[in-house]
Amino acid sequence: MSRLAEILESATPEDAARRARDWPDGERKALVEELASEVLRQLRIDANRALVVADLTTAVAGETNGNGEARARAAWVRGHALAGLVRAAEALAEYDRAAEAYERLGREDEVARIALGRVNALTWLGRYREAIAVGERARGALLDAGRDLAAAGLDVNLGNLFHRLADPQAALTHYDRALDVANQHGATDTVSTVQLNRATALSALGRIDAAAHLYQKVRDEADDAGKTRVRAFADFNLGYIRFQCGEYGRAWDTLDAARQSFEELRDDHFLALTLVDLAELLIETASWRRAATTSERARDLAASLGLRLEQARAVLMRAIAAVGAGDFDQAAQSLDEADDLFAEEGNAGLRALVDVYRARLLLRRGEPGPAAERAVDAAEVSRLANLRVQEIGARLVAAEALLAGRDLDEARRQLRLAGARLRGVPSPWLRARREHLRGRLEEAHGRRGEAVRAYRNAVAKLEDIRGRIGVDEFRVGFGDANADVYADLIELVLQGRSRAAVTDAFALIERARSRSLVDLLAGRLNAHDEADPRVRSLLDRLATLRGELNRASGFASDRGDGLRRPAVAAASSVGALEEEIADTLRRLERRNARLGALTQGETATVDDTKRSLPADTELVEYFVGPRGSWAIVVDREGSRSVQLPVGRDDLRGAVSRLRFQIEKRAIGDEYARPRERLLLEGVSRHLDSLAEKIWAPLELRARRIVVVPHGSLHFVPFAALPIGNGESVVDRHVVSALPSASCRRFVARGPRHRDDPRVLAVASHAGDLPGADREVARVRKAFARGRMLRGPRATWSAFRDEAARADVIHVATHGLFRHDDPGLSALLLADGWVRVADLLSLRLDADLVSLSACQSGRVEVSGGDEMVGLCRGFLHAGARSLLVSLWPVDDRVTEALMGAFYRNLRAQGDPAEALAAAMRLTRAEWPHPFHWAPFFTVSWPRRRPAGAPAGRSKA
């Protein structure tokens, strides 16, 4: 065994020192050089291992009796190892120790070379002037000594310093000088490092294509050479470039790969930087909650390492997430904290970026004048620093504020300046934003045609971006963030009043509405026959995480009945598991094109919808915009638009007041029975008022109505709206709902019409819901074949297996709607919560899924009108129709209503028809809408073909 191998096998530095004690000084000095080379090699692979080897080097050098050169060399490489872990203060101490030793030896050339590390350490510690002085002095000494390659290394570090100071042009000058020298010497490792840094400077200067080409080239070369660390650096930078270009799906892939690499390498410095970029990506897709948690993790990590600049950037991301979430106090506090940190860094460029977001916050608070002033100042600072992309963003914020303040001439000037700077910057998002603001400017001037053209240009660019996203969560957020672009165009088109305008507006509304859901339904994942081992591994990981999350949530058998019930959870562990579930799901979506729906689902047109409508059916597509509310009514003969006499804010308030009145009945019988008449009169007044605004103006004649709600209308019990003469909608119409007209082809693919449909009836916590046990027993008896899962037997695995074979699925249990993250809404089974993410691996071919659970139909409706909740999960799983509830339901009344519903379903075959009849029957005994109107169907009208059997009953 060689001396090197023997030392590298040492368990501790003390062990290494013991082994080397009796070796000749000459051998030990030579071994120190070999170990130093190993430290440098490990730095390209694993910085933590590099420090271990550096400590062994120090132990071996400590035993030499010579002139101290070996100890100096050991201190030098230990400084490198500490620098690789961004332990800047410790690294600087080692570099100073090495420099002093070499000075005593008269080795001025080595002292100059050590300056490479000293410049980096001083930079990380924020001692910029000292770093520049040390670097320039050492660079001159190295050139005088003919050590031009070492001088090139100093140029790299000085370039990094100027990049940190937001001076990309000065940084590029140093990098270019270093590249020339590295190429002359054929120093491939140095070339790779310089090219990565050059690409970063080019990106900051707005030369995005050149930067992306360089990052990709270095990444490919590093991957071929097995240089994990270099590849991770390239991924980190390339991911941000792709983000800037609007390629959110690919950006997430690349940044996530970098994050995983840095976690495996235990490189907390670059992990913190990567987390900041991921937070920014989440912000751009309006994933405010996850952006906040990701930026907080980055901030804490950077603070623990003493990385003030990275900490400041993370705090800035936290502030931006707070602005998006409407938490203005948190946003202002975080912006002030970020500004203080950037001021300590002396970074004027990033302080200007803080001012851009201060301007956005002022604008959100209704202060356009101060917002415009601050944004213009930030744009000028960014221009002087040659921060091109940042300058464009600042000018667009300024233009938006100036438009809000009606300073149209100055708004046009800012848009013109932004357009000039956009030349050569391939950022479709910035171009879309500019076109949108240009449309608003033209509309303010009364130039409708120019405004429509600008809005269409903006929409076209957004459509191009969203087609490349490929992650459902990001598509939801992207639609939310850009809903106002579609809304401005739709409202302007609808004002045209012509038949062509109606057709055009309908198509635009469909393109703006529930697009992510349409895409998701267009590409379902068959998890059971997936051949990709990586996909199977991710699905297995999701299953493991589900179990861990339920355990962390406190599920334990504590009543001796086999059921597990929630207890107090540790919020931090639950939150971490929820984040990992979200991350795993994103990886799964990106890995499997069908689940990610990488090909966009086609949206419906008026003609498509007309042809698909059954006889005596009308479809009502609502649109609630910032300046007006509309409905487009489509039947088999044509289409028409109706402007509604209510604005968005008034409508939101009316629906909120109605829900308050309805849910007062849920307080309990002791409160409600003495006040039954008053409660009914109160809710009736609100229903009357709402019906006058959203139903009466439509003058609907067809018996069957398909409603496509928008915004707050998702929470309206349409069947309960009064229509005069003491009647409600349910008395004359059969109403069903769809998230969008485009979803029709996924739920209207035709029922199975089996002679003997198979039911699955589930009641997991009947002890807590005594009516649920009787309810599922009654449902089971309504069908000749099927299975009941009750109590401890109603586990997730049993449900998944049985549901795959069922035609009708009925679940009576507790439901949970998560306002903070609707994707984590859940149903309670015997072994814990089943969340929306779990449903993505479910494979159904069911005609109907009935969720007789509290608020099973509650959804979070984003700006893009995405239906995010349990409904989304079951539609993706393959349900042809859903029966869900809008508010907490009465156990006793629901049992009776469900019994009537299934009797009607056997006879009629259409869920909406069956529900309408059950509602009328239930209302006769319990007249308050709280009892009879909580349920609705997500379905497309259908009738049982002539001669088809209705199913046999055991009852």
Side-chain angles (χ1 to χ4, degrees):
M1 180 183 293
S2 69
R3 298 289 200 199
L4 177 64
E6 188 174 348
I7 292 298
L8 291 176
E9 280 192 352
S10 300
T12 63
E14 291 76 17
D15 184 28
R18 180 186 55 76
R19 293 178 187 230
R21 185 173 298 121
D22 298 328
W23 296 347
D25 282 354
E27 287 189 20
R28 289 203 299 275
K29 290 177 183 177
L31 182 58
V32 165
E33 284 301 323
E34 289 186 74
L35 286 166
S37 296
E38 178 63 14
V39 171
L40 299 178
R41 189 183 76 83
Q42 286 293 337
L43 272 172
R44 294 190 292 270
I45 303 168
D46 183 343
N48 285 281
R49 176 60 184 166
L51 181 58
V52 170
V53 178
D55 288 339
L56 297 177
T57 308
T58 301
V60 172
E63 294 296 319
T64 59
N65 298 314
N67 58 14
E69 186 171 347
R71 287 191 292 275
R73 180 64 171 144
W76 189 356
V77 295
R78 192 168 189 274
H80 284 334
L82 289 163
L85 293 169
V86 200
R87 290 161 60 174
E90 296 170 78
L92 184 61
E94 291 290 347
Y95 288 140
D96 288 346
R97 189 175 297 115
E100 290 168 5
Y102 280 119
E103 278 185 20
R104 289 194 296 271
L105 295 169
R107 299 289 303 276
E108 294 299 328
D109 57 335
E110 300 292 44
V111 173
R113 287 178 63 205
I114 291 170
L116 275 78
R118 295 183 70 206
V119 166
N120 267 352
L122 288 165
T123 298
W124 290 331
L125 293 169
R127 294 158 62 177
Y128 300 127
R129 291 183 181 177
E130 188 179 349
I132 292 171
V134 168
E136 292 293 355
R137 185 169 60 250
R139 183 176 179 278
L142 288 170
L143 289 174
D144 291 343
R147 306 290 293 270
D148 56 341
L149 191 58
L154 265 175
D155 269 321
V156 171
N157 292 355
L158 287 167
N160 293 343
L161 190 159
F162 283 107
H163 173 72
R164 195 176 182 92
L165 290 171
D167 189 347
Q169 189 58 60
L172 188 62
T173 299
H174 283 280
Y175 294 146
D176 286 345
R177 198 158 59 189
L179 183 63
D180 288 342
V181 175
N183 280 325
Q184 290 170 20
H185 285 265
T188 56
D189 286 347
T190 303
V191 168
S192 294
T193 300
V194 174
Q195 292 288 43
L196 281 173
N197 292 331
R198 287 186 71 250
T200 301
L202 289 168
S203 175
L205 291 168
R207 296 164 62 182
I208 305 296
D209 286 343
H213 175 75
L214 269 182
Y215 285 137
Q216 188 65 57
K217 183 174 184 292
V218 173
R219 189 210 184 279
D220 292 343
E221 290 172 351
D223 203 27
D224 291 341
K227 296 178 180 177
T228 305
R229 224 174 144 70
V230 176
R231 186 189 65 202
F233 293 149
D235 278 337
F236 162 65
N237 289 289
L238 185 59
Y240 193 77
I241 288 283
R242 287 171 172 169
F243 165 49
Q244 286 182 300
C245 292
E247 298 179 14
Y248 296 154
R250 295 183 70 204
W252 188 84
D253 284 348
T254 313
L255 287 171
D256 190 54
R259 176 181 64 175
Q260 291 180 75
S261 294
F262 290 134
E263 285 175 341
E264 290 167 4
L265 293 166
R266 290 174 290 175
D267 188 331
D268 287 344
H269 175 206
F270 279 95
L271 175 58
L273 268 65
T274 306
L275 288 170
V276 172
D277 287 353
L278 283 167
E280 190 173 354
L281 172 56
L282 290 164
I283 285 167
E284 200 66 36
T285 55
S287 302
W288 309 122
R289 175 177 169 271
R290 291 206 170 95
T293 56
T294 301
S295 59
E296 285 166 1
R297 182 186 173 198
R299 178 198 62 198
D300 293 345
L301 195 57
S304 71
L305 296 170
L307 302 173
R308 195 166 55 203
L309 179 65
E310 289 72 17
Q311 180 185 352
R313 288 187 63 222
V315 171
L316 176 58
M317 291 305 112
R318 179 67 183 90
I320 299 168
V323 172
D327 188 351
F328 297 155
D329 290 340
Q330 173 66 58
Q333 178 183 332
S334 295
L335 285 170
D336 287 345
E337 182 183 350
D339 191 42
D340 289 344
L341 288 166
F342 288 136
E344 291 174 19
E345 287 282 292
N347 195 317
L350 286 175
R351 291 191 75 188
L353 185 59
V354 171
D355 276 341
V356 173
Y357 285 100
R358 278 178 167 151
R360 288 190 178 184
L361 180 57
L362 287 166
L363 192 55
R364 290 283 297 273
R365 283 176 159 168
E367 302 178 54
E373 183 179 347
R374 195 174 284 272
V376 169
D377 289 346
E380 286 303 306
V381 173
S382 302
R383 181 183 65 81
L384 292 172
N386 206 12
L387 297 170
R388 193 170 180 180
V389 173
Q390 182 172 303
E391 179 197 346
I392 295 165
R395 295 202 184 281
L396 293 178
V397 172
E400 184 179 4
L402 290 161
L403 280 168
R406 302 297 296 176
D407 188 346
L408 304 185
D409 290 340
E410 182 60 20
R412 186 176 294 279
R413 191 177 83 86
Q414 292 298 325
L415 287 175
R416 186 175 65 251
L417 289 170
R421 297 293 277 167
L422 263 169
R423 295 190 190 104
V425 176
S427 176
W429 158 241
L430 289 174
R431 293 175 188 278
R433 185 76 181 129
R434 180 178 179 273
E435 284 297 293
H436 181 214
L437 292 171
R438 189 172 71 83
R440 286 188 169 176
L441 179 65
E442 299 297 347
E443 189 176 356
H445 279 297
R447 294 190 281 265
R448 182 179 177 278
E450 286 298 316
V452 168
R453 276 190 285 276
Y455 289 149
R456 289 193 192 278
N457 288 341
V459 166
K461 294 181 191 319
L462 293 175
E463 294 277 308
D464 179 61
I465 295 171
R466 75 175 308 284
R468 291 178 277 147
I469 292 176
V471 177
D472 182 50
E473 177 191 350
F474 292 170
R475 283 182 167 174
V476 171
F478 186 77
D480 190 5
N482 297 291
D484 58 339
V485 184
Y486 289 90
D488 284 345
L489 177 56
I490 290 164
E491 291 194 322
L492 209 53
V493 168
L494 279 169
Q495 291 169 12
R497 301 283 182 164
S498 67
R499 181 171 297 179
V502 174
T503 301
D504 189 11
F506 184 91
L508 287 167
I509 291 169
E510 281 296 303
R511 286 166 64 187
R513 164 172 295 164
S514 290
R515 284 295 302 282
S516 178
L517 177 59
V518 173
D519 294 344
L520 194 65
L521 295 178
R524 294 190 180 95
L525 171 67
N526 183 351
H528 303 292
D529 63 3
E530 179 54 58
D532 186 340
R534 179 59 178 156
V535 169
R536 287 202 304 271
S537 173
L538 289 168
L539 288 168
D540 290 343
R541 182 60 183 155
L542 273 179
T544 300
L545 288 169
R546 175 185 178 273
E548 291 178 4
L549 182 56
N550 277 322
R551 284 191 293 276
S553 298
F555 278 86
S557 179
D558 59 355
R559 295 190 190 175
D561 57 4
L563 297 177
R564 289 188 277 181
R565 293 175 173 79
V568 177
S572 58
S573 61
V574 169
L577 285 165
E578 289 178 349
E579 287 294 320
E580 188 174 354
I581 285 174
D583 288 341
T584 305
L585 188 57
R586 292 187 202 117
R587 292 189 188 107
L588 181 60
E589 290 177 5
R590 291 293 296 163
R591 184 76 183 190
N592 186 282
R594 285 172 288 162
L595 179 58
L598 301 180
T599 58
Q600 298 182 60
E602 296 179 5
T603 54
T605 65
V606 164
D607 287 341
D608 294 335
T609 305
K610 283 165 52 179
R611 286 191 295 267
S612 65
L613 282 169
D616 199 20
T617 303
E618 291 175 294
L619 180 137
V620 180
E621 178 115 13
Y622 285 101
F623 173 74
V624 182
R627 292 173 284 180
S629 302
W630 305 75
I632 295 179
V633 181
V634 183
D635 59 26
R636 296 176 76 171
E637 304 303 319
S639 60
R640 55 191 171 90
S641 65
V642 180
Q643 187 161 12
L644 303 175
V646 63
R648 181 169 61 185
D649 292 341
D650 288 343
L651 184 59
R652 187 182 293 123
V655 173
S656 178
R657 289 189 293 273
L658 171 64
R659 290 187 60 83
F660 172 75
Q661 289 294 329
I662 288 175
E663 295 189 17
K664 279 169 69 174
R665 185 58 185 79
I667 295 174
D669 285 346
E670 184 177 348
Y671 166 83
R673 279 176 179 163
R675 303 171 176 83
E676 201 74 61
R677 183 178 59 82
L678 292 174
L679 290 173
L680 183 57
E681 288 175 357
V683 79
S684 296
R685 284 195 301 271
H686 287 278
L687 285 168
D688 281 334
S689 174
L690 196 57
E692 289 174 5
K693 296 178 175 68
I694 67 171
W695 192 269
L698 306 183
E699 299 181 351
L700 300 172
R701 297 289 182 264
R703 181 171 177 275
R704 292 187 291 185
I705 309 296
V706 179
V707 172
V708 181
H710 190 213
S712 56
L713 294 177
H714 281 277
F715 308 110
V716 171
F718 282 91
L721 294 175
I723 56 175
N725 300 321
E727 292 184 311
S728 300
V729 167
V730 73
D731 293 303
R732 294 189 194 174
H733 305 283
V734 173
V735 179
S736 60
L738 282 181
S740 72
S742 302
C743 290
R744 183 263 313 162
R745 67 183 184 274
F746 302 110
V747 299
R749 60 190 193 276
R752 286 169 146 185
H753 297 315
R754 291 185 185 275
D755 290 351
D756 53 351
R758 179 186 176 92
V759 69
L760 172 63
V762 182
S764 61
H765 284 66
D768 302 331
L769 298 168
D773 200 35
R774 298 189 298 271
E775 181 183 320
V776 297
R778 182 177 294 185
V779 171
R780 172 64 189 88
K781 288 180 180 179
F783 295 86
R785 293 195 313 139
R787 177 84 187 275
M788 276 197 300
L789 294 174
R790 290 193 288 191
R793 294 187 298 115
T795 63
W796 166 237
S797 61
F799 175 80
R800 186 178 55 218
D801 293 344
E802 293 292 336
R805 298 189 289 272
D807 303 294
V808 174
I809 301 169
H810 182 92
V811 183
T813 185
H814 292 292
L816 171 69
F817 180 74
R818 286 280 297 270
H819 288 278
D820 62 321
D821 191 341
L824 292 169
S825 298
L827 293 171
L828 184 60
L829 294 183
D831 56 345
W833 294 104
V834 173
R835 295 166 177 82
V836 176
D838 300 317
L839 299 176
L840 293 177
S841 64
L842 198 61
R843 188 68 172 175
L844 302 180
D845 193 21
D847 286 341
L848 172 68
V849 174
S850 296
L851 301 178
S852 180
C854 296
Q855 306 185 77
S856 57
R858 287 292 297 276
V859 294
E860 186 74 14
V861 180
S862 66
D865 211 55
E866 291 288 349
M867 184 177 69
V868 184
L870 288 167
C871 291
R872 187 183 193 85
F874 277 104
L875 286 175
H876 177 269
R880 289 174 175 81
S881 59
L882 302 176
L883 175 68
V884 288
S885 65
L886 283 171
W887 56 76
V889 292
D890 182 276
D891 194 25
R892 174 173 49 97
V893 180
T894 300
E895 180 187 349
L897 189 148
M898 285 296 166
F901 169 74
Y902 281 105
R903 288 194 300 272
N904 296 328
L905 185 67
R906 290 202 320 272
Q908 297 168 336
D910 182 274
E913 295 266 10
L915 180 61
M919 283 179 168
R920 292 191 292 269
L921 184 64
T922 306
R923 183 182 58 183
E925 186 172 355
W926 293 283
H928 195 289
F930 169 77
H931 295 298
W932 63 267
F935 290 97
F936 69 97
T937 65
V938 178
S939 64
W940 186 253
R942 63 179 183 240
R943 288 191 182 277
R944 189 176 300 281
R952 296 186 293 274
S953 171
K954 297 173 83 174

